[in-house]
Amino acid sequence: MSENKFLQNSILELDGKINNINNLLINFAELIQLSVIKQQNSEIILNNLKDSINLLMQKNTCNKKIRCFFLIHSISMWDSLSDIYRRMAQDERFEPIIFTIPSRIISSGDFTGEEAVSDAFTKMGISHYRLEMTDSFDGLTILKNMSPDIIFRQQPWDGDMMTCYAAQDLNFARLCLVPYSPWMLDMDKIAQSGINFDRTYHRLAWRLFSECPDSSETYSQNPHIDQDRVIFSGLSKIDSLLLHKDKGVWPFPEKEKRPYRVIWSTHYSAYEESFQFSVFNQICLLMLEWAQKTPDIEFVFKPHQGLRNGVIKSGFMTAEQYDKYISVWESLDNCAVSLGDYASLFDASDLMVTDGISFLAEYQFFDKPIIFFDSGSHAAFNSLGELAASCSKKVSSFPEMVEAVSYYKNGGKWEYVAEREALKEMLYPSGQSPSQLIIEAIYEGFQRESNS
């Protein structure tokens, strides 16, 4: 193409963008006039204007590489995106950038935690920008000025985010959602079935990646979502977890005679209105007593980040009593608490006891015994959840759990090998990297739109 021809095309392209903006301003003036005449709700008008501007911005980025922003509020969820980020950083087609932001847990409390997330990235030697400001509009301005093509947020719930990191405000770029854990509950048997598959973020997302056939099927039944945007990838978190195999880190000093290493993980749902997986209220005091009597086992307590709120909400403990419990637990020589990143902990352990959901599937990739303490009253599993439960040792009482731990501690054979392999195939289909599948889908989709 000659220089003159290139210049003419550039001018035509610029004229088109100016015309789009002029039309937008004309529409804005008309909307304002209508609001005065008809006394319409100004918030509705402003939201419509914002949506229009955001969609225009999506089409007008001009980065040489595909610029992907990762908005990170939780290190414990980072594993679902970390391998995608790592691969993009090594791929000349992409420019990945991390931002740390505050958040709150289950839509309650103050927005906090940004500093801890930033510190974690600093310790890992990963460069990032901090959006620590209390006014999220300041952070949003920074994001817009840096003109991203793609934005990843870690979860779909706007209630946990500061106002301007809600889906509608981030829609100036193409939104992507990668599941941070496998979804293992039967949506047909859960009230408010849209909780995980029909939020504003889902409806606005440019790409929705699903980790298993159950999730893909649930999306397919959603009349609010363009099915061309849904892509089955497998669980990207597995890529990150597998990187930590044979690199275990255990939070106790090495001893001459190695103790048996047990992770105790419990879900947040300790109150009646929740999914009711947690048995923390039933066994927490028994766990203390058992740990005191069993010095040849080292226990690491790995609570769900929402457990404290869940226990308080249940009325079983006050905040002070929960904190006191944790203090007493940590005072024992063979007990510790682990928060945040956990892949290295999984690798260093010998066995897990859990009443929860996602770990029931994720821990299986480390090929170690896992005991599922069934509350007997939890929400129904979908087929993935049923499969994960079937390749775990199921118990329903504290004595059963102690007996099972003792069996595996003394060299007992793992009984659920075939079931475990079936689960691995479902979440990591045909041994293909879910992270790489996600990257290629983003590149192909972006190129297709850019050339259209």
Side-chain angles (χ1 to χ4, degrees):
M1 181 185 294
S2 68
E3 291 185 4
N4 287 339
K5 185 67 173 177
F6 176 79
L7 182 59
Q8 289 172 4
N9 289 342
S10 298
I11 291 172
L12 287 173
E13 183 180 350
L14 181 60
D15 285 343
K17 291 180 180 180
I18 291 172
N19 286 334
N20 282 337
I21 294 172
N22 286 337
N23 290 335
L24 196 62
L25 291 174
I26 292 169
N27 290 338
F28 177 52
E30 292 174 350
L31 285 170
I32 294 298
Q33 188 175 20
L34 281 172
S35 72
V36 174
I37 295 172
K38 298 183 179 181
Q39 296 182 342
Q40 291 180 340
N41 187 325
S42 60
E43 184 178 353
I44 294 175
I45 294 170
L46 290 174
N47 281 338
N48 287 334
L49 175 65
K50 179 166 57 179
D51 288 342
S52 299
I53 292 173
N54 282 345
L55 290 172
L56 182 63
M57 291 177 70
Q58 275 192 27
K59 304 299 182 183
N60 287 327
T61 52
C62 54
N63 302 312
K64 293 182 179 178
K65 298 182 178 183
I66 301 175
R67 184 171 293 173
C68 301
F69 285 4
F70 294 76
L71 303 191
I72 307 302
H73 70 274
S74 170
I75 282 295
S76 65
M77 296 179 184
W78 171 235
D79 276 336
S80 64
L81 294 172
S82 62
D83 198 59
I84 296 171
Y85 171 82
R86 181 184 68 83
R87 291 170 187 262
M88 282 185 172
Q90 298 170 353
D91 191 324
E92 62 181 11
R93 299 172 297 176
F94 293 91
E95 182 185 10
I97 302 173
I98 294 172
F99 295 83
T100 55
I101 62 174
S103 67
R104 58 185 180 181
I105 298 173
I106 315 179
S107 303
S108 63
D110 297 328
F111 291 101
T112 60
E114 183 280 331
E115 184 176 4
V117 177
S118 175
D119 288 346
F121 279 122
T122 299
K123 289 178 182 177
M124 289 187 282
I126 299 176
S127 62
H128 59 282
Y129 291 90
R130 295 186 62 185
L131 301 182
E132 81 282 11
M133 55 282 295
T134 55
D135 186 343
S136 60
F137 284 89
D138 292 340
L140 185 65
T141 299
I142 291 172
L143 294 177
K144 286 186 173 181
N145 284 342
M146 293 178 70
S147 301
D149 298 301
I150 305 289
I151 289 180
F152 292 91
R153 210 178 70 186
Q154 288 184 285
Q155 61 185 37
W157 302 294
D158 285 342
D160 291 356
M161 302 292 106
M162 297 178 79
T163 303
C164 281
Y165 303 136
Q168 191 173 23
D169 288 282
L170 295 178
N171 201 36
F172 61 90
R174 296 163 179 81
L175 299 179
C176 288
L177 183 63
V178 174
Y180 67 85
S181 66
W183 184 252
M184 297 163 62
L185 302 182
D186 187 337
M187 299 304 294
D188 292 335
K189 298 180 181 178
I190 297 174
Q192 299 178 324
S193 61
I195 185 172
N196 226 49
F197 294 90
D198 193 19
R199 314 296 274 192
T200 302
Y201 198 100
H202 296 108
R203 298 179 184 186
L204 295 180
W206 178 70
R207 290 294 182 269
L208 293 162
F209 296 97
S210 73
E211 78 287 7
C212 68
D214 280 312
S215 292
S216 296
E217 176 63 22
T218 302
Y219 278 130
S220 72
Q221 297 172 5
N222 190 331
H224 307 135
I225 291 176
D226 177 1
Q227 297 304 309
D228 289 340
R229 301 182 179 193
V230 179
I231 297 174
F232 172 56
S233 62
L235 187 63
S236 62
K237 181 184 286 190
I238 303 304
D239 284 318
S240 302
L241 295 179
L242 293 177
L243 288 174
H244 291 82
K245 273 208 165 186
D246 303 319
K247 299 177 183 177
V249 177
W250 193 245
F252 290 92
E254 292 288 337
K255 296 180 175 61
E256 185 176 342
K257 184 177 181 181
R258 184 184 180 281
Y260 195 67
R261 298 173 173 182
V262 173
I263 299 173
W264 169 36
S265 168
T266 188
H267 200 246
Y268 75 86
S269 54
Y271 54 99
E272 287 187 5
E273 300 83 9
S274 63
F275 295 139
Q276 296 186 21
F277 275 86
S278 179
V279 297
F280 176 82
N281 295 358
Q282 301 172 39
I283 72 170
C284 62
L285 299 179
L286 294 171
M287 286 295 296
L288 266 179
E289 183 180 359
W290 183 35
Q292 287 175 320
K293 294 179 178 178
T294 320
D296 62 336
I297 297 179
E298 289 176 339
F299 297 89
V300 176
F301 183 39
K302 185 77 179 71
H304 187 284
Q305 62 178 350
L307 176 66
R308 185 175 185 270
N309 287 347
V311 171
I312 294 167
K313 194 170 181 178
S314 74
F316 178 72
M317 288 180 178
T318 64
E320 293 76 14
Q321 288 170 332
Y322 179 85
D323 293 341
K324 178 63 176 177
Y325 177 86
I326 296 298
S327 178
V328 172
W329 176 267
E330 291 186 302
S331 71
L332 299 180
D333 292 339
N334 61 330
C335 293
V337 175
S338 176
L339 304 173
D341 189 28
Y342 54 82
S344 295
L345 182 73
F346 281 12
D347 186 67
S349 67
D350 295 316
L351 175 147
M352 175 183 282
V353 174
T354 185
D355 57 20
I357 308 176
S358 59
F359 283 0
L360 203 58
E362 293 169 23
Y363 192 74
Q364 304 284 359
F365 283 82
F366 289 83
D367 297 314
K368 299 176 181 184
I370 179 168
I371 297 170
F372 174 45
F373 200 127
D374 190 345
S375 69
S377 58
H378 61 75
F381 282 128
N382 60 15
S383 61
L384 174 60
E386 292 288 356
L387 180 56
S390 75
C391 55
S392 307
K393 176 66 176 179
K394 184 176 175 180
V395 300
S396 56
S397 70
F398 190 79
E400 277 187 277
M401 184 195 73
V402 173
E403 182 181 356
V405 172
S406 178
Y407 171 76
Y408 295 115
K409 177 175 177 287
N410 293 323
K413 185 179 179 181
W414 184 243
E415 309 98 314
Y416 311 102
V417 175
E419 294 89 343
R420 174 175 278 171
E421 292 306 311
L423 177 74
K424 289 180 180 180
E425 175 62 25
M426 184 175 288
L427 293 175
Y428 205 86
S430 302
Q432 298 184 74
S433 163
S435 297
Q436 193 62 40
L437 288 172
I438 289 169
I439 288 173
E440 296 305 328
I442 289 173
Y443 178 76
E444 291 168 11
F446 191 82
Q447 289 297 110
R448 190 162 53 247
E449 290 185 4
S450 299
N451 295 329
S452 62

